[in-house]
Amino acid sequence: MKYLLAIPLFLCSFLAFSQDNLLSKPSIMVFPDDAWMNENKFITASVGQGASEGRKGSPDYKKAFREDRTKVLTLTTRAIEKYFTDNNFPINSLEDAIKELEQNQAASAESDIVTDQNTMILSNVNPDVKLEFSYSLANSGFGWTFIFSLSAKDVYTSTAIGTIQSEPMTLASETDVLPAIQKVIKSNFPELMLKLTNHWNNVANNGLQIKLRINLSNELVSGKNITFESRIGEDAVKLQEILTKWVSLNSKNKRYSMGSQTKNVINYNSISIPLETPDKSGKNNAKLFAEQLVTYIYKNLKFDGEVSSSGPGNASIILK
């Protein structure tokens, strides 16, 4: 009887965990990797980094999809997405993100400025996991030699989660690329899904890993003679200590690590933050965490702050 009771109790515990963890699976976004983009010349030189200087630019996803005449890029992206949607993973479409980016740039006065599309897309969409695929196809004289890879990375930390790597395959023609990709993914998908699930369970237990940088504006430093060493309020506590105490109290399990620090700049190299926002309205990220800190600062210290981010895992605050 004890053994019979143990099974339902285990199932109840598992179901309770699933219900409590509203964000039980990471959101996925599929990208062609940088090497594939570079090899196919889908690269935009950054400002001051012209092709004549021979410097590497940033991936131009808009160009890649626009010039995808064989539709291999589009079909591969959708094929990978389907495996994850069929297993109830939330998907963020790269194609949809590109369209939104184009609309935003069309409405912006700065639309002609060359920027890093990858950073802009990740900042706008905030996926949890970035899947990067690549394939090579070479005519061997006896057919086409084909190799495919698919890598999963944590967007917040760029940590590798898992990789699918095919052995060299011989294809009869270029039209066999998509079926070959589907075959490789199908045979390796269970192992990759297990690694993703284990990774996300670890995130749920230990928090999202973010970086935060806090700067003091010239207005505070020069105009009001405020530095992070300044003592604030009736208790005369250093500004740096006030901020670090808030970070500690609002981090997951009070886990954080300090980076470099000056009188005007503080870097937190790693902060574990809860998976959900404090009001349980949705998924947390570095920018939302920084905005919570700015709200606290404004209410309690009467400083204002400006928040910016470069992807879901990195945020900056300028106190004014």
Side-chain angles (χ1 to χ4, degrees), residues 47-91:
V47 174
Q49 294 184 336
S52 61
E53 298 177 30
R55 297 177 183 173
K56 185 178 178 180
S58 60
D60 188 342
Y61 303 111
K62 291 188 290 184
K63 180 180 180 182
F65 279 98
R66 186 174 62 246
E67 298 182 6
D68 182 27
R69 296 182 180 86
T70 63
K71 295 301 178 184
V72 172
L73 174 59
T74 301
L75 294 174
T76 299
T77 302
R78 291 177 181 175
I80 296 170
E81 290 174 346
K82 187 176 187 304
Y83 277 96
F84 285 91
T85 55
D86 287 349
N87 286 274
N88 301 314
F89 282 83
I91 291 292

Side-chain angles (χ1 to χ4, degrees), residues 27-127:
S27 58
I28 305 290
M29 198 165 195
V30 182
F31 290 78
D33 77 4
D34 289 359
W36 187 90
M37 294 288 287
N38 192 52
E39 183 180 344
N40 289 276
K41 297 181 172 55
F42 297 135
I43 297 292
T44 297
S46 300
V47 174
Q49 294 184 336
S52 61
E53 298 177 30
R55 297 177 183 173
K56 185 178 178 180
S58 60
D60 188 342
Y61 303 111
K62 291 188 290 184
K63 180 180 180 182
F65 279 98
R66 186 174 62 246
E67 298 182 6
D68 182 27
R69 296 182 180 86
T70 63
K71 295 301 178 184
V72 172
L73 174 59
T74 301
L75 294 174
T76 299
T77 302
R78 291 177 181 175
I80 296 170
E81 290 174 346
K82 187 176 187 304
Y83 277 96
F84 285 91
T85 55
D86 287 349
N87 286 274
N88 301 314
F89 282 83
I91 291 292
N92 300 119
S93 167
L94 178 58
E95 291 180 87
D96 291 344
I98 291 169
K99 291 175 184 176
E100 183 178 351
L101 183 62
E102 289 178 323
Q103 290 171 355
N104 292 342
Q105 288 183 326
S108 172
E110 299 180 347
S111 59
D112 291 333
I113 296 177
V114 179
T115 51
D116 180 359
Q117 289 180 27
N118 182 72
T119 299
M120 292 180 68
I121 289 170
L122 293 177
S123 296
N124 290 342
V125 180
N126 289 316

Side-chain angles (χ1 to χ4, degrees), residues 2-257:
K2 290 181 179 179
Y3 293 106
L4 291 174
L5 288 172
I7 296 174
L9 286 172
F10 169 78
L11 289 174
C12 288
S13 298
F14 177 79
L15 290 173
F17 172 79
S18 299
Q19 290 168 352
D20 289 340
N21 185 8
L22 300 177
L23 301 173
S24 59
K25 290 187 177 181
S27 58
I28 305 290
M29 198 165 195
V30 182
F31 290 78
D33 77 4
D34 289 359
W36 187 90
M37 294 288 287
N38 192 52
E39 183 180 344
N40 289 276
K41 297 181 172 55
F42 297 135
I43 297 292
T44 297
S46 300
V47 174
Q49 294 184 336
S52 61
E53 298 177 30
R55 297 177 183 173
K56 185 178 178 180
S58 60
D60 188 342
Y61 303 111
K62 291 188 290 184
K63 180 180 180 182
F65 279 98
R66 186 174 62 246
E67 298 182 6
D68 182 27
R69 296 182 180 86
T70 63
K71 295 301 178 184
V72 172
L73 174 59
T74 301
L75 294 174
T76 299
T77 302
R78 291 177 181 175
I80 296 170
E81 290 174 346
K82 187 176 187 304
Y83 277 96
F84 285 91
T85 55
D86 287 349
N87 286 274
N88 301 314
F89 282 83
I91 291 292
N92 300 119
S93 167
L94 178 58
E95 291 180 87
D96 291 344
I98 291 169
K99 291 175 184 176
E100 183 178 351
L101 183 62
E102 289 178 323
Q103 290 171 355
N104 292 342
Q105 288 183 326
S108 172
E110 299 180 347
S111 59
D112 291 333
I113 296 177
V114 179
T115 51
D116 180 359
Q117 289 180 27
N118 182 72
T119 299
M120 292 180 68
I121 289 170
L122 293 177
S123 296
N124 290 342
V125 180
N126 289 316
D128 301 306
V129 172
K130 182 180 181 181
L131 288 177
E132 296 179 307
F133 70 86
S134 181
Y135 67 86
S136 62
L137 191 65
N139 192 334
S140 63
F142 301 96
W144 296 85
T145 301
F146 171 79
I147 300 175
F148 175 79
S149 68
L150 177 67
S151 300
K153 292 181 180 179
D154 183 304
V155 172
Y156 298 85
T157 63
S158 297
T159 302
I161 300 171
T163 299
I164 291 174
Q165 178 70 54
S166 76
E167 297 293 332
M169 305 165 61
T170 300
L171 308 182
S173 71
E174 293 177 275
T175 58
D176 294 330
V177 168
L178 186 60
I181 289 173
Q182 292 172 322
K183 181 180 178 180
V184 173
I185 296 173
K186 183 177 181 180
S187 61
N188 292 277
F189 185 78
E191 182 180 353
L192 180 60
M193 188 173 69
L194 178 61
K195 289 180 179 179
L196 281 168
T197 301
N198 290 339
H199 172 76
W200 198 244
N201 286 340
N202 181 63
V203 169
N205 290 327
N206 297 306
L208 297 165
Q209 302 300 309
I210 68 163
K211 293 182 179 182
L212 178 63
R213 179 184 177 91
I214 307 177
N215 293 64
L216 296 179
S217 67
N218 289 332
E219 178 185 353
L220 283 180
V221 176
S222 301
K224 298 183 179 180
N225 198 30
I226 297 291
T227 73
F228 286 119
E229 294 297 312
S230 299
R231 297 186 179 275
I232 307 294
E234 295 180 358
D235 296 330
V237 180
K238 289 183 179 181
L239 178 56
Q240 181 270 332
E241 293 176 7
I242 294 172
L243 299 179
T244 299
K245 182 178 180 180
W246 186 94
V247 167
S248 176
L249 291 174
N250 289 274
S251 62
K252 180 83 170 180
N253 303 325
K254 297 186 177 181
R255 294 177 61 184
Y256 70 94
S257 65

